[in-house]
Every structure is written in C-alpha cells, then in structure tokens.
Amino acid sequence: MHRRPVLLALCAVTAAPWRAVAQDGPIRLRDLYNHDLSFSDLALAHEGKRLSIAGFMAPPLKADSQFYVLTKMPMAVCPFCEPGQAWPDDILAVYERRIVTVFPFNVPIVTRGILELGDHVDPDLGFYSRVRIVEAVTDRA
Amino acid sequence: MQKFLLSTAAVLGLTSFAAAQDLAQAENAWFKAGQATIAARLAVQPNTNKARNVILFTADGNGVGTNYAIRLFEGQKLGGLGDDHVQPQEAFPYAALVKTYSTNGQTPDSAPTAAAMNSGVKTKNDLINMPDSVAVGDCAAGLATSMTLFSDIATQLGKSVGVVSTARITHATPAAVYARTVNRDWEDNSSIPEGCAQKDIAAQLFDAMKAGTIDLALGGGRQHFLPETVTDSEGKPGKRTDGRNITEEVKALGGQYVENDVDFMALTLGNNAPILGLFEPSHMKYEQDRSGEPSLAQMTEAAIKSLQSNDNGFYLMVEAGRVDHANHAGNLHRTLVDGVAFNDAIRKALELTSAEDTLIIVTADHEHAISFNGYCGRGSAITGLCMEINEAGVEHTGTPETAADGKPYTVAGYLNGAGSVLVEQADGSFSGTRPADLTNEIAMDPDYLQQALIPMTSETHSGEDVMVFAQGPWAHLFGGTIEQNVIFHVMNYAVNAQ
Ligand SMILES: [Zn+2]
C-alpha cells in the first residue's frame, strides 16, 4: 500500500524515560491504580497511612462542604459530548478537616491526609467511592 | 512501479522520467521519490465497479491539524522522525479537502456533520438527520419530516449494516447511521420532554435492529439501554425511566448482547442475528486507559467478519469517537493514542477487504482549536518541546526553543481550553504566566495538558477543514474541495453504479 519510499531517518527519537515516583514529593493520583483499575502496591502499602497526592479539584458538588473529588487531569466539561457527564473511574474522594477551599479546576493541587481503600457511599451526597483521603488538608501544588 | 500500463499517460510519464536523468539532482533521494510518486499516480486507474461494501471511517475531531499530529506521533512511535510517516489512509489514491460548517454553525458539532454524511444534506447544529427547517428541540416539526438514510439505502439493496464507535453508540456520529432526532442529547427516554412522541436514540437503535436496518452495533452507552432500576455488570445503574431493558429486548429478538472483552471474543459472527455490544455505561475508555474492553481494531474486525457473511455486501461506519474528547480535554497524548488506534482499525479493514469491491472512506467530522508552533527541528516529539533546528544535520539539536519570556514551549498547543495559561484568581479575574520549569519529560507525560490561550472548561471544535481519503469503487469521485454532504453522494453513487 505504501507507495512512497520512507526516507531513512538518521537517528531514532529517544523517548523520555518513565519518571519513577519521587521519594519525598507527593505521589500522583494515577499511582494509586494499576492499569486495570485495581489498587496498586503503593496504594495497598499506604492504606491507613498519611500520604500526599497531587491532582486537580473537580468543581465541588455542593457549596461549603468538606468533600470534593480529586482528578488526575483537569475535569474538562464538553457541552456537546457530555450531557449528564460520568466521572472517570480513576478518581479520589477527599474529605477535608475543614470546609473545602475551592481552587479552579485546572490549578494543580496537593492534598495530604489518611488513605482509605474500599467501597463507600457518602451518606449525604450518595457519592460512591473506592478510594478516599480523609482528615485532608489541600493546597496549591 | 511494478507494472507500467501502456496508456498514453504512462508513456508520457516515462518520457519525462528519462529527461530527468540529465538534471544535476537526479540521483538525490528526494528527486527519485518524487519521480516514483509520479509513476505511481500515472498507474492509478479509476475503479468503476459497483461497490459491494462501503466502510466509512470517521475519527471525531480529526481535522487536518489533528491528523498531522497523529502522523508524527505514530511515525515517532515507530522510531522515525515522524514527518515522513504515511498513515494507512494517506496511501489511498484519492483525497479531498472537506468543508464541515453546518447550516447555522461556522463551527459545527458532530450531529449535523454526521447527518451530512448519512443523509446527503447539511443541517443545523444539534440536529441529526432532520432538515434545517426544524428548530432544535421542536418535537412536532421533527415528527412531520422524514429522511432516507444511507443505512436504509444499503438495506434496500440487500446489504447488512453495522456501526462501531468508541463513544456511546447513541452519541451523535454513530446515531446518525440509524436515528433521526431534533436534539442529539435525547439518547434515552429520560431526556425527552413531556408530551413529545419522538423516540429516543437508544429506542431507535432497537427499532433499527428489529427492522433489520442495523445488524451490528458495538460501542459504549449501556446506561441509555437499561432502566434506572437495573445495574449493569459494573454496578452502574441505567438511565431509562420507561422501565425498558433494551439489552434484554435485543436478546429476545434472537440477538447476541455482550458487555466485556471476554464475551466479545466469544461472539458468534455471521449467523445473521443482531449483535449489540455495549462495553461501558458511557463512552468506552481511551486507548491509553483501555482494560476489559475490545480495541477499535478488534471491533472493526468482528464487524467486517460478521457483515461479510452477506453476499450482497455491507455498509459499516466505524468511529474513533474519543480523539474528539481528548482534544476537548486539551490532552494531546490521549488524542494521539486514540488516533493510532484509529489507524490500526483502518489497517485491519484493508487486510480483510479488497479494493476491487469495497469503497473505504476515511474522514473526520470536524477539527479542533489545536495549533502548532515553530520553528521546531525534525524529530521534536509531537507531544513534547519544540527543539532547535540543527543547521549541520537533520535531527534537532536537543536544545528547546524559547519564547520572548525565555521559557520553552511545546510543538502543539490549543487556542482555548483547560490548559489555559490564564487561571482564575481568588477575585474571579484571570491572569497567569507560563510555567518556567516545563521540560520535555513533563510535556510528554500522558496526563499533560498542552498550554492554551483562552480559558475555557472544555477546548472547542473549530470550523477548519478536514480531509477525506478514499480507495475502491468510485473513490475517484473525491477530489478538490467539497462540502461534507458530498460524502453521502459518493457512497450512494458507488453502491448504485451500473
Ligand atoms: Zn466534540
């Protein structure tokens, strides 16, 4: 099919090596999950322990709440493609110590708190989560 | 260059090829490649067979710019510099530039664009297979009109019809194969206003399967087929408020219904019973994140193998639906990984069909607000930083270009969207500066959002042109710059040609 001869490239592009999880900095939200959305070894090792996680704040579901959802990428909303938008599977429910300070959806933030794993339905919002950070404090990254 | 046809054109081609030997640059590899292209063009003969099969490939939001980015990404993934890579559709003999505007939108959405391809007429944004005399949401006006779709024409010719998408199967592009609606968002009955008798899109898919105008549908969107009282295999409830479980209704028709990759692999293909695969409550996963679901290429393969059992042929529409969504997110990496999955699906179709009897069309519905910086040296990663041109060689120097602010920038960016450098401040105003510490590694991270200018929660479509590439019967009817609805007319001509 390919009629046009491919010109010889002098050198191959070298891909950036995968960055390992930093030892002291916050981990990334995606580090909590394996590709099949099961919990990663890192998540299992930190269950019940204090952890810092980097991500983005989805626009809060309710004002003056202690709850928000952390996403790995800014939660873009497409008016044409997402009526009744579904949450991505790889999110983190965050329960703050105090009322949430709202940050714009595309500002990188870090939340620090205790990691909880396992199914949970929020009694007020009915929000279902598989993984949570509780007693959290959140700030700009 | 394998065979020279003894036509006048080919002889002229040989003559000019011989004359070129006298030029000083005649032995240059580029010169020879250019000559080879001319010889190949001269050898192209129009195929005037009647098309038995038609496959319409659409990557949603894959305009000229996004297609360019996928070309470089796939080429670089294969170890090259990217620019010279040839995507499968780019080796097709015929192509045209396509104008995608809708009748009321300089910038279209996917409803009127898909309708143009399936009905032969342009219409308004948000309308699917409705004339533009109908106002969006005007239920009564919609019910008073009718349109014959290409799927109806194919069915009348005795062909089978399939629709495959990584988006919800009720989403605009796949819906346009089988549905007519005054609002693209009416995907299940819960969004239809009180007193409106128009059927929702999921219900229309069932009707089409029952009538035999759709034989196979694979994609996402399970929530629109299940009642709110029923949860699916992932524990997610349906959205229907009329109590209908359309997945059960399809099974009651004698059809097969699957929800995951394992059951998908076990489908019985080609037994002429309807096949419905709904692999997610909403859209299927991005290829980057895919798990538990078939790939677009696997769905394409299953569709072709199933539909091929009909000796009268088939019409298949295949959509890479999430190239669009990742562009909306401003996340170029996922856009391009889904673009490569689209290419894999096209390669699979080329492998399973013959250009003698199968018209394959590859296009997009619209472009996005994606744009490209300069002056980048060759081999600059398409998702990474724009690197300096190497004056002494071919590949870039490895040093990032910097802007007037002294900071590096990526090859690609978006004119608007979530990656905006203007960020909302505590007082509600927007301001910001570009980050100083951007590295190639950060930019190439799968979750990175390319920098954008205008702040928006979702990056927008644009009205810029898209390409159409074609091979097979009557593919030569594509050429020049065309209106998008012409795509229907080529398909219609090809299946009816005498
Ligand atoms: Zn879109």
Side-chain angles (χ1 to χ4, degrees):
Chain A
M1 289 313 301
H2 296 229
R3 294 197 182 86
R4 190 170 304 181
V6 176
L7 295 169
L8 276 180
L10 292 182
C11 334
V13 176
T14 47
W18 191 254
R19 180 195 278 181
V21 176
Q23 291 301 305
D24 33 0
I27 67 154
R28 284 184 284 201
L29 178 48
R30 66 173 185 227
D31 299 326
L32 295 175
Y33 292 98
N34 295 321
H35 190 77
D36 66 357
L37 293 175
S38 58
F39 294 129
S40 65
D41 290 346
L42 187 146
L44 294 170
H46 284 81
E47 185 172 6
K49 293 181 184 153
R50 200 159 276 280
L51 201 58
S52 294
I53 303 177
F56 298 88
M57 183 181 286
L61 299 168
K62 199 174 146 192
D64 298 328
S65 164
Q66 284 171 258
F67 171 79
Y68 76 91
V69 173
L70 192 80
T71 59
K72 69 177 174 188
M73 291 193 290
M75 187 79 180
V77 184
C78 167
F80 285 123
C81 49
E82 298 289 332
Q85 182 161 25
W87 290 98
D89 293 316
D90 49 353
I91 56 169
L92 177 75
V94 181
Y95 289 88
E96 295 268 289
R97 279 196 199 155
R98 307 191 200 293
I99 301 293
V100 173
T101 303
V102 178
F103 295 105
F105 79 108
N106 56 350
V107 169
I109 57 173
V110 173
T111 185
R112 185 167 171 74
I114 298 166
L115 185 69
E116 275 188 9
L117 304 180
D119 291 2
H120 175 77
V121 177
D122 184 287
D124 290 342
L125 296 162
F127 191 89
Y128 164 79
S129 60
R130 295 176 59 218
V131 52
R132 293 158 298 286
I133 285 279
V134 298
E135 291 181 41
V137 176
T138 300
D139 217 329
R140 282 180 189 249
Chain B
M1 296 262 303
Q2 297 95 330
K3 53 173 182 178
F4 280 106
L5 297 171
L6 296 175
S7 67
T8 321
V11 172
L12 284 172
L14 282 169
T15 309
S16 64
F17 189 81
Q21 301 311 305
D22 304 333
L23 302 179
Q25 65 274 34
E27 291 307 307
N28 183 297
W30 284 107
F31 197 95
K32 287 179 162 176
Q35 290 291 87
T37 302
I38 295 300
R41 294 299 306 169
L42 287 166
V44 171
Q45 298 290 309
N47 177 341
T48 55
N49 297 337
K50 183 186 282 202
R52 190 154 73 104
N53 311 315
V54 176
I55 308 179
L56 176 61
F57 278 99
T58 306
D60 198 310
N62 184 26
V64 168
T66 303
N67 178 68
Y68 163 76
I70 296 169
R71 179 194 304 151
L72 268 76
F73 186 76
E74 184 168 70
Q76 293 177 346
K77 201 171 148 249
L78 293 171
L81 298 176
D83 330 74
D84 52 357
H85 177 59
V86 182
Q87 300 180 89
Q89 68 276 23
E90 292 171 340
F92 288 3
Y94 302 101
L97 207 52
V98 179
K99 300 199 271 190
T100 67
Y101 68 94
S102 68
T103 63
N104 68 344
Q106 186 180 71
T107 313
D109 72 78
S110 301
T113 52
M117 294 185 243
N118 282 283
S119 71
V121 299
K122 286 204 176 198
T123 188
K124 287 198 283 221
N125 278 16
D126 289 314
L127 296 182
I128 297 177
N129 298 326
M130 288 284 168
D132 74 340
S133 53
V134 173
V136 176
D138 187 341
C139 186
L143 288 169
T145 68
S146 76
M147 275 202 194
T148 302
L149 309 183
F150 188 67
S151 58
D152 299 321
I153 294 167
T155 301
Q156 283 155 19
L157 292 169
K159 299 182 191 303
S160 295
V161 180
V163 55
V164 169
S165 177
T166 48
R168 293 188 296 267
I169 204 69
T170 49
H171 200 241
T173 308
V177 175
Y178 58 85
R180 300 152 182 84
T181 178
V182 294
N183 188 327
R184 58 173 286 173
D185 291 342
W186 295 358
E187 295 181 56
D188 63 66
N189 79 299
S190 69
S191 36
I192 297 203
E194 284 264 330
C196 171
Q198 189 208 291
K199 285 195 175 178
D200 62 86
I201 296 170
Q204 290 191 49
L205 177 56
F206 174 78
D207 289 350
M209 285 193 144
K210 193 175 175 187
T213 42
I214 294 285
D215 301 282
L216 172 144
L218 302 171
R222 209 185 285 144
Q223 62 193 5
H224 301 301
F225 295 79
L226 297 175
E228 51 185 357
T229 51
V230 169
T231 53
D232 64 17
S233 53
E234 294 180 44
K236 308 258 175 71
K239 294 191 122 180
R240 302 194 68 87
T241 55
D242 59 1
R244 285 184 67 181
N245 183 334
I246 294 177
T247 66
E248 291 296 335
E249 293 178 30
V250 168
K251 284 193 257 181
L253 290 179
Q256 303 175 74
Y257 169 67
V258 291
E259 293 194 349
N260 59 55
D261 55 350
V262 175
D263 294 342
F264 165 81
M265 294 308 286
L267 281 170
T268 304
L269 303 178
N271 69 350
N272 205 28
I275 292 176
L276 178 64
L278 301 172
F279 302 104
E280 275 285 326
S282 183
H283 304 299
M284 290 178 68
K285 291 185 196 300
Y286 289 118
E287 179 61 22
Q288 170 76 19
D289 309 313
R290 184 168 63 82
S291 120
E293 305 171 5
S295 68
L296 187 63
Q298 287 174 318
M299 293 195 289
T300 302
E301 178 176 8
I304 292 172
K305 286 183 172 169
S306 177
L307 302 173
Q308 261 175 347
S309 64
N310 183 341
D311 290 339
N312 293 322
F314 62 84
Y315 167 47
L316 172 64
M317 199 290 295
V318 177
E319 185 202 27
R322 308 211 68 199
V323 168
D324 176 70
H325 298 165
N327 261 335
H328 279 303
N331 177 223
L332 186 60
H333 182 89
R334 279 181 176 73
T335 304
L336 305 185
V337 173
D338 268 40
V340 172
F342 181 60
N343 289 348
D344 288 340
I346 297 165
R347 279 186 280 264
K348 183 53 75 178
L350 291 171
E351 186 188 311
L352 295 172
T353 60
S354 161
E356 285 301 304
D357 65 0
T358 304
L359 171 63
I360 298 186
I361 299 169
V362 178
T363 189
D365 47 0
H366 56 74
E367 178 58 304
H368 274 260
I370 189 171
S371 48
F372 300 89
N373 291 307
Y375 296 97
C376 317
R378 292 197 63 199
S380 295
I382 187 66
T383 57
L385 297 180
C386 180
M387 301 292 188
E388 282 178 356
I389 287 175
N390 182 354
E391 292 186 357
V394 174
E395 194 174 7
H396 65 76
T397 63
T399 304
E401 287 280 5
T402 52
D405 57 8
K407 299 168 185 173
Y409 53 86
T410 51
V411 176
Y414 292 94
L415 193 52
N416 65 61
S420 177
V421 295
L422 302 175
V423 174
E424 188 177 359
Q425 305 299 309
D427 65 357
S429 67
F430 283 78
S431 61
T433 56
R434 302 194 314 115
D437 56 357
L438 181 60
T439 63
N440 206 37
E441 189 189 351
I442 293 171
M444 290 181 71
D445 187 279
D447 294 342
Y448 179 72
L449 268 55
Q450 269 59 26
Q451 290 174 5
L453 175 60
I454 301 166
M456 290 202 192
T457 54
S458 175
E459 180 267 0
T460 67
H461 301 172
S462 81
E464 196 179 347
D465 298 338
V466 304
M467 290 297 298
V468 60
F469 305 93
Q471 77 161 32
W474 300 96
H476 54 284
L477 293 179
F478 286 113
T481 303
I482 61 171
E483 295 285 1
Q484 193 160 39
N485 57 307
V486 172
I487 291 170
F488 166 95
H489 296 275
V490 174
M491 298 194 297
N492 192 29
Y493 193 91
V495 294
N496 286 301
Q498 293 309 313

